Amino acid sequence: MSGIAEFRSVVFDCPDPRALADFYSRLLGWPVTYADDDWVVVSDGGSPRRLAFQLAADFRAPTWPDPERPQQIHLDLTVDDLDTAEKQAVEIGAVKHDHQPSEDDDFRVFLDPAGHPFCLCRD
């Protein structure tokens, strides 16, 4: 089935696009492929695997699970070993969230340096 459009990017509003792009570059192993003051992209070179980070001067980080400022969007990222990936993610700036809803430890919730939730998941 052919769609109306082709997926291009997931874009994150954030207060410091370069810093957040650097974090995801290290987390995913994707290089920064474009950067200016207000817009930075990381990509593995393939489509649609591309994340972009856009300056939002009035950015307010999500406070999930509090509905006052919900998560808005989050990424689920597959890892081979949750314990190793958790250690490495925290070393580069992730924060393990206090709220861990997985009952069987199939995934763990973290916050990126701008406060966006993301999950490291077992496949």
Side-chain angles (χ1 to χ4, degrees):
M1 179 175 155
S2 178
I4 294 170
E6 184 176 323
F7 180 85
R8 180 178 170 106
S9 303
V10 172
V11 181
F12 289 82
D13 284 356
C14 60
D16 186 343
R18 183 59 194 222
L20 196 56
D22 287 344
F23 170 80
Y24 278 100
S25 176
R26 294 178 70 192
L27 185 67
L28 297 170
W30 297 353
V32 172
T33 58
Y34 177 83
D36 66 26
D37 292 341
D38 298 336
W39 183 266
V40 182
V41 175
V42 299
S43 175
D44 75 343
S47 177
R49 293 183 297 254
R50 173 182 144 128
L51 299 177
F53 307 91
Q54 172 178 272
L55 178 63
D58 59 351
F59 177 75
R60 292 178 38 182
T63 57
W64 176 86
D66 180 353
E68 176 70 23
R69 289 198 317 262
Q71 63 184 331
Q72 302 158 14
I73 189 171
H74 78 272
L75 300 178
D76 285 344
L77 307 171
T78 301
V79 298
D80 292 327
D81 181 295
L82 273 173
D83 293 330
T84 300
E86 175 179 329
K87 182 179 183 287
Q88 294 170 332
V90 169
E91 286 174 355
I92 64 168
V95 173
K96 189 172 183 181
H97 201 292
D98 290 336
H99 183 64
Q100 294 295 323
S102 177
E103 294 178 8
D104 52 7
D105 199 35
D106 277 348
F107 65 92
R108 296 180 190 161
V109 182
F110 297 84
L111 302 175
D112 70 23
H116 303 103
F118 69 93
C119 295
L120 297 179
C121 308
R122 289 185 216 273
D123 200 4

